[in-house]
Coordinates of all heavy atoms in Angstrom, one line a residue:
M29 N -109.5 -34.3 -31.0 CA -109.1 -34.1 -32.4 C -110.2 -34.5 -33.4 O -110.8 -35.6 -33.1 CB -107.8 -34.8 -32.7 CG -106.6 -34.5 -31.8 SD -106.0 -32.8 -32.0 CE -105.1 -32.9 -33.5
C30 N -110.4 -33.7 -34.4 CA -111.3 -34.1 -35.4 C -110.7 -35.2 -36.3 O -109.6 -35.0 -36.8 CB -111.7 -32.9 -36.3 SG -112.8 -33.3 -37.7
P31 N -111.4 -36.3 -36.4 CA -110.9 -37.4 -37.3 C -110.8 -37.1 -38.7 O -109.9 -37.7 -39.4 CB -111.9 -38.6 -37.0 CG -113.1 -37.9 -36.6 CD -112.7 -36.6 -35.9
D32 N -111.5 -36.1 -39.2 CA -111.5 -35.7 -40.6 C -110.4 -34.7 -40.9 O -109.7 -34.9 -42.0 CB -112.8 -35.2 -41.1 CG -113.9 -36.2 -41.0 OD1 -113.7 -37.4 -41.2 OD2 -115.1 -35.8 -40.7
T33 N -110.2 -33.8 -40.1 CA -109.2 -32.7 -40.4 C -108.0 -32.7 -39.5 O -107.0 -32.1 -39.9 CB -109.9 -31.3 -40.2 OG1 -110.2 -31.2 -38.8 CG2 -111.2 -31.1 -41.0
G34 N -108.0 -33.4 -38.4 CA -106.9 -33.5 -37.5 C -106.8 -32.2 -36.6 O -105.9 -32.1 -35.8
A35 N -107.7 -31.3 -36.8 CA -107.7 -30.1 -36.0 C -108.3 -30.3 -34.6 O -109.1 -31.2 -34.4 CB -108.5 -29.0 -36.7
A36 N -107.8 -29.6 -33.6 CA -108.4 -29.7 -32.3 C -109.8 -29.2 -32.3 O -110.1 -28.2 -32.9 CB -107.5 -28.9 -31.3
R37 N -110.6 -29.8 -31.6 CA -112.0 -29.4 -31.4 C -112.1 -28.3 -30.3 O -111.4 -28.3 -29.4 CB -112.9 -30.5 -31.1 CG -113.0 -31.5 -32.3 CD -114.0 -32.6 -32.0 NE -114.0 -33.6 -33.0 CZ -115.0 -34.4 -33.3 NH1 -116.1 -34.3 -32.6 NH2 -114.9 -35.2 -34.3
L38 N -113.1 -27.5 -30.5 CA -113.4 -26.5 -29.5 C -114.0 -27.1 -28.2 O -114.9 -28.0 -28.4 CB -114.3 -25.4 -30.0 CG -113.9 -24.5 -31.1 CD1 -115.0 -23.6 -31.6 CD2 -112.7 -23.7 -30.7
S39 N -113.7 -26.6 -27.1 CA -114.4 -27.0 -25.9 C -115.7 -26.3 -25.9 O -115.9 -25.3 -26.6 CB -113.6 -26.6 -24.6 OG -113.6 -25.2 -24.5
Y40 N -116.6 -26.7 -25.0 CA -117.9 -26.1 -24.9 C -117.7 -24.6 -24.5 O -118.3 -23.7 -25.1 CB -118.8 -26.8 -23.8 CG -120.2 -26.3 -23.8 CD1 -121.1 -26.8 -24.6 CD2 -120.5 -25.2 -22.9 CE1 -122.4 -26.3 -24.6 CE2 -121.8 -24.7 -22.9 CZ -122.8 -25.3 -23.7 OH -124.1 -24.8 -23.6
G41 N -116.8 -24.3 -23.6 CA -116.5 -22.9 -23.2 C -116.0 -22.1 -24.3 O -116.4 -20.9 -24.5
Q42 N -115.1 -22.6 -25.1 CA -114.6 -21.9 -26.3 C -115.6 -21.6 -27.3 O -115.7 -20.5 -27.8 CB -113.4 -22.7 -26.9 CG -112.2 -22.8 -26.1 CD -111.2 -23.8 -26.7 OE1 -111.6 -24.9 -27.1 NE2 -109.9 -23.4 -26.6
A43 N -116.5 -22.6 -27.6 CA -117.6 -22.4 -28.5 C -118.6 -21.4 -28.0 O -119.0 -20.5 -28.8 CB -118.3 -23.8 -28.8
R44 N -118.9 -21.4 -26.7 CA -119.8 -20.5 -26.1 C -119.2 -19.1 -26.2 O -120.0 -18.1 -26.6 CB -120.0 -20.8 -24.7 CG -121.0 -19.9 -24.0 CD -121.3 -20.3 -22.5 NE -120.0 -20.3 -21.8 CZ -119.6 -21.4 -21.0 NH1 -120.4 -22.4 -20.9 NH2 -118.5 -21.3 -20.4
A45 N -118.0 -18.9 -26.0 CA -117.3 -17.6 -26.0 C -117.3 -17.0 -27.5 O -117.6 -15.8 -27.7 CB -115.9 -17.6 -25.4
L46 N -117.0 -17.9 -28.4 CA -117.0 -17.4 -29.8 C -118.4 -17.0 -30.3 O -118.5 -16.0 -31.0 CB -116.4 -18.5 -30.7 CG -114.9 -18.7 -30.7 CD1 -114.5 -20.0 -31.5 CD2 -114.2 -17.5 -31.3
L47 N -119.4 -17.9 -30.0 CA -120.7 -17.6 -30.4 C -121.2 -16.3 -29.8 O -121.8 -15.4 -30.5 CB -121.7 -18.7 -30.1 CG -123.1 -18.6 -30.6 CD1 -123.1 -18.5 -32.1 CD2 -123.9 -19.7 -30.1
D48 N -120.9 -16.0 -28.5 CA -121.3 -14.8 -27.9 C -120.6 -13.6 -28.5 O -121.2 -12.6 -28.8 CB -121.0 -14.9 -26.4 CG -121.4 -13.6 -25.7 OD1 -122.6 -13.2 -25.7 OD2 -120.5 -12.9 -25.1
A49 N -119.3 -13.8 -28.8 CA -118.5 -12.6 -29.3 C -119.1 -12.2 -30.7 O -119.0 -11.1 -31.1 CB -117.1 -13.0 -29.4
H50 N -119.5 -13.2 -31.5 CA -120.0 -12.9 -32.9 C -121.4 -12.6 -33.0 O -121.9 -12.2 -34.1 CB -119.6 -14.0 -33.8 CG -118.1 -14.1 -34.0 ND1 -117.4 -13.3 -34.9 CD2 -117.2 -14.9 -33.4 CE1 -116.1 -13.6 -34.8 NE2 -116.0 -14.6 -34.0
T51 N -122.2 -12.7 -31.9 CA -123.6 -12.4 -32.0 C -124.0 -11.3 -31.0 O -125.2 -10.9 -30.9 CB -124.5 -13.6 -31.8 OG1 -124.2 -14.2 -30.5 CG2 -124.2 -14.7 -32.8
A52 N -123.1 -10.8 -30.2 CA -123.4 -9.8 -29.1 C -123.9 -8.5 -29.8 O -123.3 -8.1 -30.8 CB -122.2 -9.6 -28.2
V53 N -124.9 -7.9 -29.2 CA -125.4 -6.7 -29.7 C -125.1 -5.5 -28.7 O -125.1 -4.4 -29.2 CB -126.9 -6.8 -30.0 CG1 -127.1 -7.7 -31.2 CG2 -127.7 -7.3 -28.9
R54 N -125.0 -5.8 -27.5 CA -124.8 -4.8 -26.5 C -123.6 -5.1 -25.6 O -123.6 -4.9 -24.4 CB -126.0 -4.6 -25.6 CG -127.2 -4.0 -26.4 CD -128.4 -3.9 -25.5 NE -128.9 -5.2 -24.9 CZ -129.6 -6.1 -25.5 NH1 -130.1 -5.9 -26.7 NH2 -130.0 -7.1 -24.9
G55 N -122.5 -5.7 -26.2 CA -121.3 -6.0 -25.4 C -121.3 -7.5 -25.0 O -122.2 -8.2 -25.3
P56 N -120.2 -7.9 -24.4 CA -120.0 -9.3 -24.0 C -121.1 -9.8 -23.1 O -121.6 -9.1 -22.3 CB -118.7 -9.3 -23.3 CG -118.0 -8.0 -23.7 CD -119.0 -7.1 -24.1
G57 N -121.5 -11.0 -23.4 CA -122.6 -11.6 -22.6 C -124.0 -11.4 -23.1 O -124.9 -11.8 -22.5
T58 N -124.1 -10.6 -24.2 CA -125.4 -10.3 -24.7 C -125.8 -11.1 -26.0 O -126.8 -10.9 -26.6 CB -125.6 -8.8 -25.0 OG1 -124.7 -8.4 -26.0 CG2 -125.4 -8.0 -23.7
G59 N -124.9 -11.9 -26.5 CA -125.1 -12.7 -27.7 C -125.8 -14.0 -27.4 O -126.3 -14.2 -26.3
W60 N -126.0 -14.7 -28.5 CA -126.7 -16.0 -28.4 C -125.9 -17.0 -27.5 O -124.6 -16.9 -27.4 CB -126.8 -16.7 -29.7 CG -127.8 -16.1 -30.6 CD1 -128.4 -14.9 -30.6 CD2 -128.4 -16.7 -31.8 NE1 -129.3 -14.7 -31.6 CE2 -129.3 -15.9 -32.3 CE3 -128.2 -18.0 -32.4 CZ2 -130.0 -16.2 -33.5 CZ3 -128.9 -18.3 -33.5 CH2 -129.8 -17.4 -34.0
D61 N -126.6 -17.9 -26.9 CA -125.8 -19.0 -26.3 C -126.0 -20.3 -27.1 O -126.9 -20.3 -28.0 CB -126.2 -19.2 -24.8 CG -127.7 -19.6 -24.6 OD1 -128.2 -20.3 -25.4 OD2 -128.2 -19.3 -23.5
L62 N -125.3 -21.3 -26.8 CA -125.4 -22.5 -27.6 C -126.7 -23.1 -27.6 O -127.2 -23.7 -28.6 CB -124.3 -23.5 -27.2 CG -122.9 -23.0 -27.5 CD1 -121.9 -24.0 -26.8 CD2 -122.6 -23.0 -29.0
H63 N -127.4 -23.0 -26.5 CA -128.8 -23.6 -26.4 C -129.7 -22.9 -27.3 O -130.6 -23.5 -28.0 CB -129.2 -23.6 -24.9 CG -130.3 -24.6 -24.6 ND1 -130.0 -26.0 -24.5 CD2 -131.6 -24.5 -24.4 CE1 -131.1 -26.6 -24.3 NE2 -132.1 -25.7 -24.2
E64 N -129.7 -21.6 -27.3 CA -130.5 -20.8 -28.2 C -130.2 -21.2 -29.7 O -131.1 -21.2 -30.5 CB -130.3 -19.3 -28.0 CG -130.9 -18.8 -26.7 CD -130.5 -17.3 -26.5 OE1 -129.4 -16.9 -26.9 OE2 -131.3 -16.6 -25.9
Y65 N -128.9 -21.4 -30.0 CA -128.5 -21.7 -31.3 C -129.2 -23.1 -31.7 O -129.6 -23.2 -32.9 CB -127.0 -21.8 -31.4 CG -126.4 -21.9 -32.8 CD1 -126.6 -20.8 -33.7 CD2 -125.8 -23.0 -33.2 CE1 -126.0 -20.9 -35.0 CE2 -125.3 -23.1 -34.5 CZ -125.4 -22.1 -35.3 OH -124.9 -22.2 -36.6
R66 N -129.2 -24.0 -30.8 CA -129.8 -25.3 -31.1 C -131.3 -25.1 -31.4 O -131.8 -25.7 -32.3 CB -129.6 -26.2 -29.9 CG -130.3 -27.6 -30.0 CD -130.1 -28.4 -28.8 NE -130.5 -29.7 -29.0 CZ -130.7 -30.6 -28.1 NH1 -130.3 -30.4 -26.9 NH2 -131.1 -31.8 -28.4
H67 N -132.0 -24.3 -30.6 CA -133.4 -24.0 -30.8 C -133.6 -23.5 -32.2 O -134.5 -23.9 -33.0 CB -134.0 -23.0 -29.8 CG -134.1 -23.5 -28.4 ND1 -135.2 -23.2 -27.7 CD2 -133.4 -24.3 -27.7 CE1 -135.1 -23.8 -26.5 NE2 -134.0 -24.5 -26.5
S68 N -132.8 -22.5 -32.6 CA -132.9 -21.8 -33.9 C -132.7 -22.8 -35.0 O -133.4 -22.8 -36.0 CB -131.9 -20.7 -33.9 OG -132.0 -20.0 -35.2
A69 N -131.7 -23.6 -34.9 CA -131.4 -24.6 -36.0 C -132.5 -25.5 -36.2 O -132.9 -25.8 -37.3 CB -130.1 -25.3 -35.6
L70 N -133.1 -26.0 -35.1 CA -134.2 -27.0 -35.2 C -135.4 -26.3 -35.8 O -136.2 -26.9 -36.7 CB -134.5 -27.6 -33.9 CG -133.5 -28.6 -33.4 CD1 -133.8 -29.0 -31.9 CD2 -133.3 -29.8 -34.3
T71 N -135.7 -25.1 -35.4 CA -136.8 -24.3 -36.0 C -136.6 -24.1 -37.5 O -137.6 -24.3 -38.3 CB -137.0 -23.0 -35.3 OG1 -137.4 -23.2 -33.9 CG2 -138.0 -22.1 -35.9
H72 N -135.4 -23.7 -37.9 CA -135.2 -23.5 -39.3 C -135.3 -24.8 -40.1 O -135.9 -24.8 -41.2 CB -133.8 -22.8 -39.6 CG -133.7 -21.4 -39.1 ND1 -134.6 -20.4 -39.6 CD2 -132.9 -20.8 -38.2 CE1 -134.3 -19.3 -38.9 NE2 -133.3 -19.5 -38.1
L73 N -134.8 -25.8 -39.6 CA -135.0 -27.1 -40.3 C -136.4 -27.5 -40.4 O -136.9 -28.0 -41.5 CB -134.2 -28.2 -39.6 CG -132.7 -28.1 -39.7 CD1 -132.0 -29.1 -38.7 CD2 -132.2 -28.4 -41.1
G74 N -137.2 -27.3 -39.4 CA -138.6 -27.6 -39.4 C -139.4 -26.8 -40.4 O -140.3 -27.2 -41.1
E75 N -139.0 -25.5 -40.5 CA -139.7 -24.5 -41.4 C -139.4 -24.9 -42.9 O -140.2 -24.5 -43.7 CB -139.3 -23.1 -41.1 CG -139.9 -22.6 -39.8 CD -139.6 -21.1 -39.5 OE1 -138.6 -20.6 -40.1 OE2 -140.3 -20.5 -38.7
V76 N -138.3 -25.5 -43.2 CA -138.0 -25.9 -44.5 C -138.5 -27.3 -44.9 O -138.2 -27.8 -45.9 CB -136.6 -25.7 -44.9 CG1 -136.2 -24.2 -44.8 CG2 -135.6 -26.6 -44.1
G77 N -139.2 -27.9 -43.9 CA -139.9 -29.2 -44.2 C -139.3 -30.4 -43.6 O -139.7 -31.5 -44.0
A78 N -138.3 -30.3 -42.8 CA -137.7 -31.5 -42.1 C -138.8 -32.2 -41.3 O -139.6 -31.6 -40.7 CB -136.6 -31.1 -41.2
S79 N -138.9 -33.5 -41.5 CA -139.9 -34.3 -40.8 C -139.6 -34.4 -39.3 O -138.5 -34.1 -38.8 CB -140.0 -35.7 -41.3 OG -138.8 -36.4 -41.0
L80 N -140.6 -34.7 -38.5 CA -140.5 -34.9 -37.1 C -139.4 -35.9 -36.8 O -138.5 -35.7 -35.9 CB -141.8 -35.3 -36.4 CG -141.7 -35.6 -34.9 CD1 -141.3 -34.3 -34.2 CD2 -143.1 -36.0 -34.5
L81 N -139.4 -37.0 -37.5 CA -138.4 -38.0 -37.3 C -137.0 -37.5 -37.6 O -136.0 -37.9 -36.8 CB -138.7 -39.3 -38.2 CG -139.9 -40.1 -37.8 CD1 -140.2 -41.2 -38.8 CD2 -139.8 -40.6 -36.4
M82 N -136.8 -36.7 -38.6 CA -135.5 -36.2 -38.9 C -135.1 -35.2 -37.8 O -133.9 -35.2 -37.4 CB -135.5 -35.5 -40.3 CG -135.6 -36.5 -41.4 SD -134.3 -37.8 -41.4 CE -132.9 -36.8 -41.9
L83 N -136.0 -34.3 -37.4 CA -135.7 -33.4 -36.3 C -135.3 -34.2 -35.0 O -134.4 -33.8 -34.3 CB -136.9 -32.5 -36.0 CG -137.2 -31.5 -37.1 CD1 -138.5 -30.7 -36.8 CD2 -136.0 -30.5 -37.3
M84 N -136.0 -35.3 -34.7 CA -135.7 -36.1 -33.6 C -134.3 -36.7 -33.7 O -133.5 -36.8 -32.8 CB -136.7 -37.1 -33.3 CG -138.0 -36.6 -32.8 SD -139.3 -37.8 -32.7 CE -138.7 -38.8 -31.4
A85 N -134.0 -37.2 -34.9 CA -132.6 -37.7 -35.2 C -131.5 -36.7 -35.0 O -130.5 -36.9 -34.4 CB -132.6 -38.4 -36.6
K86 N -131.8 -35.5 -35.5 CA -130.8 -34.4 -35.4 C -130.6 -34.0 -34.0 O -129.5 -33.8 -33.5 CB -131.3 -33.2 -36.3 CG -130.4 -32.0 -36.2 CD -129.1 -32.2 -36.9 CE -128.3 -30.9 -37.0 NZ -126.9 -31.2 -37.2
S87 N -131.7 -33.9 -33.2 CA -131.6 -33.4 -31.9 C -131.3 -34.5 -30.8 O -131.0 -34.2 -29.7 CB -132.8 -32.6 -31.5 OG -133.9 -33.5 -31.5
R88 N -131.5 -35.7 -31.3 CA -131.3 -36.9 -30.4 C -132.4 -37.0 -29.3 O -132.1 -37.6 -28.3 CB -129.9 -36.9 -29.8 CG -128.8 -37.0 -30.8 CD -127.5 -37.3 -30.2 NE -126.4 -37.3 -31.2 CZ -125.4 -36.5 -31.2 NH1 -125.3 -35.6 -30.3 NH2 -124.5 -36.6 -32.2
H89 N -133.5 -36.4 -29.6 CA -134.7 -36.6 -28.7 C -135.3 -38.0 -29.0 O -135.4 -38.4 -30.1 CB -135.7 -35.5 -28.9 CG -135.3 -34.2 -28.3 ND1 -134.6 -33.2 -29.0 CD2 -135.4 -33.7 -27.0 CE1 -134.4 -32.2 -28.2 NE2 -134.8 -32.5 -27.0
K90 N -135.8 -38.6 -27.9 CA -136.4 -39.9 -28.1 C -138.0 -39.8 -28.1 O -138.6 -40.6 -28.6 CB -136.0 -40.8 -27.0 CG -134.5 -41.1 -27.0 CD -134.1 -42.3 -26.3 CE -132.6 -42.6 -26.2 NZ -131.8 -42.1 -27.2
K91 N -138.5 -38.7 -27.6 CA -139.9 -38.5 -27.5 C -140.3 -37.2 -28.2 O -139.7 -36.1 -28.0 CB -140.4 -38.3 -26.0 CG -140.1 -39.6 -25.2 CD -140.6 -39.3 -23.8 CE -140.2 -40.5 -22.9 NZ -140.6 -40.3 -21.5
P92 N -141.3 -37.2 -29.1 CA -141.7 -36.1 -29.9 C -142.1 -34.9 -29.0 O -141.8 -33.7 -29.3 CB -142.9 -36.5 -30.7 CG -142.8 -38.0 -30.7 CD -142.1 -38.4 -29.5
G93 N -142.7 -35.2 -27.8 CA -143.1 -34.1 -26.9 C -141.9 -33.3 -26.4 O -142.0 -32.1 -26.1
N94 N -140.8 -33.9 -26.2 CA -139.6 -33.2 -25.7 C -139.0 -32.3 -26.8 O -138.4 -31.3 -26.5 CB -138.5 -34.2 -25.3 CG -138.9 -35.0 -24.0 OD1 -139.8 -34.6 -23.3 ND2 -138.3 -36.1 -23.8
L95 N -139.2 -32.7 -28.0 CA -138.7 -31.8 -29.1 C -139.6 -30.6 -29.3 O -139.1 -29.5 -29.8 CB -138.7 -32.6 -30.4 CG -138.3 -31.9 -31.7 CD1 -136.8 -31.5 -31.6 CD2 -138.4 -32.8 -32.9
R96 N -140.8 -30.6 -28.9 CA -141.8 -29.5 -29.1 C -141.3 -28.2 -28.6 O -141.4 -27.2 -29.2 CB -143.1 -29.9 -28.5 CG -144.2 -28.9 -28.8 CD -145.5 -29.3 -28.2 NE -145.8 -30.7 -28.5 CZ -146.5 -31.5 -27.6 NH1 -146.9 -31.0 -26.5 NH2 -146.7 -32.7 -27.9
R97 N -140.6 -28.2 -27.5 CA -140.1 -26.9 -26.9 C -139.0 -26.3 -27.7 O -138.8 -25.1 -27.6 CB -139.6 -27.2 -25.5 CG -138.3 -27.8 -25.4 CD -137.9 -28.1 -24.0 NE -138.7 -29.2 -23.5 CZ -138.5 -29.8 -22.4 NH1 -137.5 -29.4 -21.6 NH2 -139.2 -30.8 -22.0
Y98 N -138.4 -27.0 -28.6 CA -137.3 -26.5 -29.4 C -137.8 -25.9 -30.8 O -137.1 -25.2 -31.4 CB -136.2 -27.5 -29.7 CG -135.5 -28.0 -28.5 CD1 -135.9 -29.1 -27.7 CD2 -134.4 -27.2 -28.0 CE1 -135.2 -29.4 -26.6 CE2 -133.8 -27.6 -26.9 CZ -134.2 -28.7 -26.2 OH -133.5 -29.0 -25.0
F99 N -139.0 -26.3 -31.2 CA -139.5 -25.9 -32.5 C -140.5 -24.8 -32.3 O -141.6 -25.0 -31.9 CB -140.1 -27.1 -33.2 CG -140.6 -26.8 -34.6 CD1 -139.7 -26.3 -35.5 CD2 -141.9 -26.9 -34.9 CE1 -140.1 -26.0 -36.8 CE2 -142.3 -26.6 -36.2 CZ -141.4 -26.1 -37.2
K100 N -140.1 -23.6 -32.7 CA -141.0 -22.4 -32.6 C -141.1 -21.8 -34.0 O -140.3 -20.9 -34.4 CB -140.3 -21.4 -31.6 CG -140.0 -21.9 -30.3 CD -141.3 -21.8 -29.4 CE -140.9 -22.1 -27.9 NZ -141.1 -23.4 -27.4
P101 N -142.0 -22.3 -34.8 CA -142.1 -21.7 -36.2 C -142.5 -20.2 -36.1 O -143.3 -19.8 -35.3 CB -143.2 -22.6 -36.8 CG -144.0 -23.2 -35.7 CD -143.0 -23.3 -34.5
S102 N -142.0 -19.5 -37.1 CA -142.4 -18.1 -37.2 C -143.8 -17.9 -37.7 O -144.4 -18.8 -38.3 CB -141.4 -17.4 -38.2 OG -141.6 -17.9 -39.5
P103 N -144.4 -16.7 -37.5 CA -145.7 -16.5 -38.0 C -145.8 -16.6 -39.5 O -146.8 -17.1 -40.1 CB -146.0 -15.0 -37.6 CG -145.1 -14.8 -36.3 CD -143.9 -15.6 -36.6
E104 N -144.7 -16.2 -40.2 CA -144.7 -16.4 -41.6 C -144.7 -17.8 -42.1 O -145.4 -18.2 -43.0 CB -143.4 -15.7 -42.2 CG -143.3 -14.2 -42.0 CD -142.9 -13.8 -40.7 OE1 -142.3 -14.6 -39.9 OE2 -143.0 -12.6 -40.3
A105 N -144.0 -18.7 -41.4 CA -144.0 -20.1 -41.7 C -145.4 -20.7 -41.5 O -145.9 -21.5 -42.3 CB -143.0 -20.9 -40.9
V106 N -146.1 -20.3 -40.4 CA -147.4 -20.8 -40.1 C -148.4 -20.3 -41.2 O -149.2 -21.0 -41.7 CB -147.9 -20.4 -38.7 CG1 -149.4 -20.7 -38.5 CG2 -147.0 -21.0 -37.6
A107 N -148.2 -19.0 -41.6 CA -149.1 -18.5 -42.7 C -148.9 -19.2 -44.0 O -149.8 -19.5 -44.7 CB -148.8 -17.0 -42.8
E108 N -147.6 -19.5 -44.3 CA -147.3 -20.3 -45.5 C -148.0 -21.6 -45.5 O -148.6 -22.1 -46.5 CB -145.8 -20.4 -45.7 CG -145.5 -21.0 -47.0 CD -144.0 -21.1 -47.2 OE1 -143.2 -20.3 -46.7 OE2 -143.5 -22.0 -48.0
L109 N -147.9 -22.3 -44.4 CA -148.5 -23.6 -44.2 C -150.0 -23.5 -44.4 O -150.7 -24.3 -45.1 CB -148.1 -24.2 -42.9 CG -148.7 -25.6 -42.6 CD1 -148.2 -26.6 -43.5 CD2 -148.4 -26.0 -41.2
T110 N -150.6 -22.5 -43.8 CA -152.1 -22.3 -43.9 C -152.5 -22.0 -45.3 O -153.5 -22.5 -45.7 CB -152.5 -21.2 -42.9 OG1 -152.1 -21.5 -41.6 CG2 -154.0 -20.9 -43.0
S111 N -151.7 -21.3 -46.0 CA -152.0 -21.0 -47.4 C -152.1 -22.3 -48.3 O -152.7 -22.2 -49.4 CB -151.0 -20.0 -48.0 OG -149.8 -20.7 -48.3
L112 N -151.5 -23.4 -47.9 CA -151.6 -24.6 -48.7 C -153.0 -25.1 -48.7 O -153.4 -25.9 -49.6 CB -150.7 -25.7 -48.1 CG -149.2 -25.4 -48.1 CD1 -148.4 -26.4 -47.4 CD2 -148.7 -25.2 -49.6
L113 N -153.8 -24.8 -47.7 CA -155.2 -25.2 -47.6 C -156.1 -24.6 -48.7 O -156.9 -25.3 -49.3 CB -155.8 -24.9 -46.3 CG -155.2 -25.6 -45.1 CD1 -155.8 -25.1 -43.8 CD2 -155.4 -27.1 -45.2
A114 N -155.8 -23.3 -49.1 CA -156.6 -22.7 -50.1 C -155.7 -21.6 -50.7 O -155.8 -20.4 -50.4 CB -157.9 -22.0 -49.5
P115 N -154.9 -22.0 -51.6 CA -154.0 -21.0 -52.3 C -154.8 -19.9 -52.9 O -155.8 -20.1 -53.6 CB -153.2 -21.8 -53.3 CG -153.4 -23.2 -52.9 CD -154.7 -23.3 -52.2
G116 N -154.4 -18.6 -52.7 CA -155.0 -17.5 -53.3 C -156.2 -17.0 -52.5 O -156.8 -16.0 -52.9
D117 N -156.6 -17.7 -51.5 CA -157.8 -17.3 -50.7 C -157.4 -16.4 -49.6 O -156.8 -16.8 -48.6 CB -158.5 -18.5 -50.1 CG -159.8 -18.2 -49.4 OD1 -160.1 -17.0 -49.3 OD2 -160.5 -19.1 -49.0
S118 N -157.6 -15.1 -49.8 CA -157.2 -14.1 -48.8 C -158.0 -14.0 -47.5 O -157.7 -13.3 -46.6 CB -157.1 -12.7 -49.4 OG -158.4 -12.3 -49.9
R119 N -159.1 -14.7 -47.5 CA -160.0 -14.8 -46.3 C -159.4 -15.6 -45.2 O -159.9 -15.5 -44.1 CB -161.4 -15.3 -46.7 CG -162.1 -14.4 -47.7 CD -163.4 -15.0 -48.1 NE -163.2 -16.3 -48.8 CZ -164.1 -17.2 -49.0 NH1 -165.3 -17.1 -48.5 NH2 -163.7 -18.3 -49.7
R120 N -158.4 -16.4 -45.4 CA -157.9 -17.3 -44.4 C -156.7 -16.6 -43.7 O -155.9 -16.0 -44.2 CB -157.4 -18.6 -45.0 CG -158.6 -19.4 -45.4 CD -158.2 -20.7 -45.9 NE -159.3 -21.3 -46.5 CZ -159.9 -22.5 -46.0 NH1 -159.3 -23.1 -45.0 NH2 -160.9 -23.0 -46.6

């Protein structure tokens, strides 16, 4: 039971089935799984500027190296970061 709402919490299996049902593109079993969702969430948090320490706290990783596999920044995010070095310089 959720201490805040009193509602029953979803089991891992229920959460997995709901996420798959709402993200499936080619029928059941083709949607996201919970592990992919975790990767995506950490990547989005990192792209908007969350620090390594905050990402580690969110994911409960104890070593930065273990978190690395979950953070996959998009090419656009890398380009935006690179543009900070020389704003307006199209040669980079």
